Amino acid sequence: MMKFFTSVVTSCKDIAGKLRSISGKANGIQFEERQMMQHFGFISIPKSGERCLFLQFGNVVIAVASDGKDRPAVKEGETALYSDKAHYIILKDDGTIAIKADGGVDVDGDLRVNGEVSDKVGKLSKLRDNYNQHTHIGNLGAPTAPTDKQDTGA
């Protein structure tokens, strides 16, 4: 028999990356350490005190939604992945991806960009162009030839 109910999470644990166990309380009924299933490719551990909508099939619970208060703002057609620390990834309707990560973004592996790379100061291509054109004053007071050009990856 399937049940739908909202519950306040009392604990949720990831057990060795293989199983999630959740406990909660709903309408005076408490459930302890039920197996929590999630969609393939997605892992989430709700915090204690979070209110969630659950589907229960026997001893297995599926956490469908939560009423987390610190969600990023999204528009129609957009999707977000977020944590409780106001960090997020938003797949925007205009085809861009917005990432907020106050601690930075770590990439384990190569990063390949088929477009321009910019920061708050300017574009990487501008830096490369300036480097490729610069010269120095040599020992005899005359400008040297431009340096070897930067590898453009082509």
Side-chain angles (χ1 to χ4, degrees):
M1 179 166 120
M2 181 172 63
K3 298 179 196 174
F4 292 87
F5 58 95
T6 59
S7 177
V8 175
V9 176
T10 56
S11 73
C12 189
K13 300 180 254 185
D14 188 22
I15 303 167
K18 298 181 187 271
L19 176 70
R20 268 147 298 292
S21 166
I22 192 162
S23 300
K25 190 178 354 179
N27 300 327
I29 301 169
Q30 194 150 340
F31 59 96
E32 297 290 331
E33 298 191 5
R34 301 286 172 87
Q35 180 182 359
M36 185 174 77
M37 304 292 287
Q38 294 180 322
H39 191 276
F40 175 79
F42 180 79
I43 297 172
S44 171
I45 305 296
K47 291 175 71 176
S48 293
E50 187 78 21
R51 226 175 56 120
C52 294
L53 172 65
F54 292 96
L55 301 175
Q56 181 177 354
F57 302 91
N59 211 25
V60 175
V61 172
I62 300 173
V64 182
S66 84
D67 68 350
K69 294 158 187 66
D70 294 328
R71 294 185 182 125
V74 293
K75 297 177 181 168
E76 184 176 343
E78 296 181 343
T79 301
L81 177 66
Y82 62 95
S83 74
D84 68 324
K85 302 291 186 203
H87 302 126
Y88 56 75
I89 299 172
I90 301 175
L91 305 177
K92 298 180 80 78
D93 198 39
D94 65 4
T96 61
I97 298 173
I99 300 174
K100 180 180 179 199
D102 291 339
V105 176
D106 296 326
V107 176
D108 186 11
D110 296 338
L111 179 64
R112 294 174 189 86
V113 178
N114 293 323
E116 186 65 71
V117 176
S118 301
D119 66 9
K120 62 184 176 186
V121 176
K123 296 180 178 183
L124 181 58
S125 62
K126 180 72 171 163
L127 179 65
R128 186 180 290 115
D129 290 345
N130 287 339
Y131 174 85
N132 288 343
Q133 295 173 19
H134 88 279
T135 61
H136 296 273
I137 301 300
N139 291 339
L140 302 175
T144 62
T147 59
D148 290 338
K149 294 198 181 303
Q150 290 256 312
D151 181 7
T152 61

